Amino acid sequence: MKILVTGGAGFIGSNFIRQVLALGKDYVIVNYDKLTYAGNLENLDDVAKNPAYSFAKGDICDAAAVESAMNGCEAVVHFAAESHVDRSIYEPAPVIETNVTGTFILLQVARKLNVRRFVHISTDEVYGDMDAGAFADENSPLQPSSPYSASKASSDLLVRSYVRTFGFPAVLTRASNNYGPYQFPEKFLPLMITNALDDKPLPIYGDGKQQRDWLHVEDHCRGIVAVLERGRIGEVYNIGGQDIVENLTMAKALLRVTGKPETLLSYVKDRPGHDRRYALKCDKIERELGWKPTISLEEGLRQTIDWYRSNTKWMARVRDGEYRSYYEKYYENRDSSLHAIAQTGPKPSL
Ligand code: NAD
Ligand code: TYD
């Protein structure tokens, strides 16, 4: 089966491609990616010469280019997105453009080309803050808090409308916070790991008592394969690690494992609109598709820390690129920058 994977040069997409090619089935992958700051083809160096893999550079908002890449594909697995909450606060326009308009264009082209299956990759953030003790199931209300999560919820609703209105063969996944190799170091875990390894401060937003459910990216990708192969059309499947941890506890654990002192913890102003807790109920994917997470947080963290320790060249090249100026602009001065933007309102670039 020939599959168009959008956003395959990013963190989860590249892990997914590697995993699918290693299955030894008859999958042929076309990786369609714009190569934004988060897209890094080095993530796929080891499969670049695999005859079942090819890459096409392009924007999901460009209908003609999407059509030429999707032509002949039976399935689409749609990862491409602007995926970072903080960036969506600094500059929402590209987030809305890619996540909403881009998804719309993919749906239109996939309908035109009679694609047989469309897997839309979404997030637990669409459910918003969960009260202590509460868990979101697939029917919970969508209550997104950030421009990022609102854009993901919007694209989920568009996909669902295509199923209902046009009988479009889509299925949706909503996963919790992923971690693992090749994650761009703007997200919490890779930022904390690489800062700890470099003896730099670990910036903790607010009181650090926000909770996230951590899912190893390889477990997530196994879940996506199950949904691609056996998920019921029109259905949503939550995919969570079921390992809910406070940010501060996580940062302290990373310091322990890396052998660094807690004096590196640095409390900074909270993210505006920051969701306190995410928590997913994942009975459905376990019951229907037999999926559950297999990598414990302890083991996964150890492996991930080892990966960043052994891949310093990858990290150095990532830091030399756009990431560095982004880091300097916002992350070394975050107390003032994020809040100034949230309070005075961004200057729209539209
Ligand atoms: P990422 O930021 O690492 O990668 C995104 C990829 O999309 C990059 O390769 C980028 O170049 C590409 N891209 C961005 N805009 C594009 C455009 N207009 N056209 C074509 N390609 C474009 O993101 P990720 O963490 O791998 O997340 C992948 C998907 O999974 C996203 O849809 C995200 O919402 C979802 N998700 C992520 C997490 C997580 O914890 N990272 C959790 C749940 C769901
Ligand atoms: P993040 O990786 O941005 O994922 P999300 O906000 O989409 O869940 O952040 C995970 C958690 O870590 C979130 O509660 C915000 C917090 N955080 C920090 O405390 N410091 C940081 O520097 C970053 C990037 C995140």
Side-chain angles (χ1 to χ4, degrees):
M1 173 161 60
K2 189 168 170 188
I3 309 173
L4 184 79
V5 173
T6 71
F11 163 50
I12 306 174
S14 60
N15 277 283
F16 175 79
I17 290 173
R18 182 173 301 99
Q19 188 176 108
V20 166
L21 291 173
L23 288 174
K25 297 190 180 174
D26 64 345
Y27 287 119
V28 173
I29 305 282
V30 179
N31 174 12
Y32 183 80
D33 196 299
K34 183 180 173 182
L35 299 182
T36 68
Y37 76 94
N40 183 352
L41 283 178
E42 283 184 31
N43 297 356
L44 288 163
D45 264 355
D46 52 334
V47 300
K49 296 206 172 86
N50 188 320
Y53 169 80
S54 62
F55 173 70
K57 185 169 187 289
D59 190 332
I60 56 168
C61 299
D62 177 345
V66 166
E67 184 166 341
S68 101
M70 202 186 288
N71 208 356
C73 292
E74 288 161 79
V76 174
V77 182
H78 173 34
F79 293 96
E82 287 291 338
S83 68
H84 192 32
V85 172
D86 291 339
R87 281 181 185 257
S88 82
I89 297 170
Y90 297 131
E91 203 185 354
V95 178
I96 306 306
E97 176 72 2
T98 284
N99 298 3
V100 184
T101 307
T103 300
F104 163 67
I105 285 169
L106 285 172
L107 291 169
Q108 288 286 85
V109 176
R111 253 188 86 212
K112 181 175 168 190
L113 297 180
N114 291 317
V115 159
R116 281 184 21 218
R117 188 164 273 248
F118 186 102
V119 182
H120 177 68
I121 307 300
S122 188
T123 165
D124 62 356
E125 302 197 23
V126 298
Y127 299 120
D129 249 343
M130 300 307 294
D131 290 338
F135 291 81
D137 69 21
E138 289 81 355
N139 295 316
S140 295
L142 303 188
Q143 293 179 318
S145 308
S146 68
Y148 164 70
S149 51
S151 73
K152 293 298 291 187
S154 306
S155 63
D156 286 19
L157 293 177
L158 262 179
V159 173
R160 298 196 69 171
S161 78
Y162 272 58
V163 174
R164 174 84 188 242
T165 307
F166 304 114
F168 183 73
V171 55
L172 296 86
T173 62
R174 294 189 182 132
S176 61
N177 284 64
N178 281 223
Y179 70 98
Y182 301 103
Q183 188 167 27
F184 192 82
E186 64 185 352
K187 304 275 167 59
F188 181 76
L189 267 180
L191 183 73
M192 299 295 146
I193 293 172
T194 52
N195 279 13
L197 293 175
D198 292 346
D199 298 303
K200 285 180 164 178
L202 274 55
I204 305 294
Y205 291 171
D207 62 5
K209 293 199 181 300
Q210 306 83 4
Q211 297 180 0
R212 294 294 184 267
D213 172 358
W214 294 99
L215 170 67
H216 194 280
V217 66
E218 286 165 16
D219 274 334
H220 184 194
C221 293
R222 280 194 313 102
I224 296 168
V225 171
V227 169
L228 170 69
E229 293 181 341
R230 290 174 285 121
R232 283 187 296 135
I233 297 301
E235 294 296 317
V236 177
Y237 293 92
N238 285 348
I239 308 182
Q242 283 143 56
D243 244 323
I244 299 177
V245 183
E246 277 184 4
N247 292 342
L248 191 55
T249 308
M250 180 66 96
K252 287 182 178 171
L254 296 176
L255 289 171
R256 238 185 349 268
V257 178
T258 51
K260 302 292 177 163
E262 287 196 6
T263 48
L264 285 180
L265 294 172
S266 161
Y267 291 89
V268 299
K269 261 194 187 158
D270 208 351
R271 169 190 283 168
H274 197 170
D275 281 331
R276 219 44 204 166
R277 176 172 179 270
Y278 295 141
L280 280 180
K281 202 159 181 270
C282 301
D283 307 13
K284 182 173 172 180
I285 189 165
E286 182 171 353
R287 193 176 57 247
E288 289 190 14
L289 306 180
W291 177 92
K292 40 181 190 184
T294 59
I295 304 174
S296 72
L297 189 53
E298 198 187 340
E299 173 57 20
L301 280 182
R302 211 171 287 283
Q303 277 177 13
T304 305
I305 292 168
D306 283 349
W307 190 87
Y308 280 95
R309 235 191 216 123
S310 335
N311 285 276
T312 47
K313 281 194 184 141
W314 179 89
M315 190 59 211
R317 283 195 286 268
V318 165
R319 275 195 171 138
D320 279 348
E322 209 263 14
Y323 176 68
R324 176 162 280 285
S325 57
Y326 173 78
Y327 182 92
E328 284 165 1
K329 196 160 165 199
Y330 295 118
Y331 279 76
E332 292 196 333
N333 213 354
R334 75 180 62 213
D335 276 9
S336 50
S337 61
L338 199 55
H339 277 266
I341 288 167
Q343 279 154 24
T344 58
K347 293 207 169 53
S349 52
L350 284 173

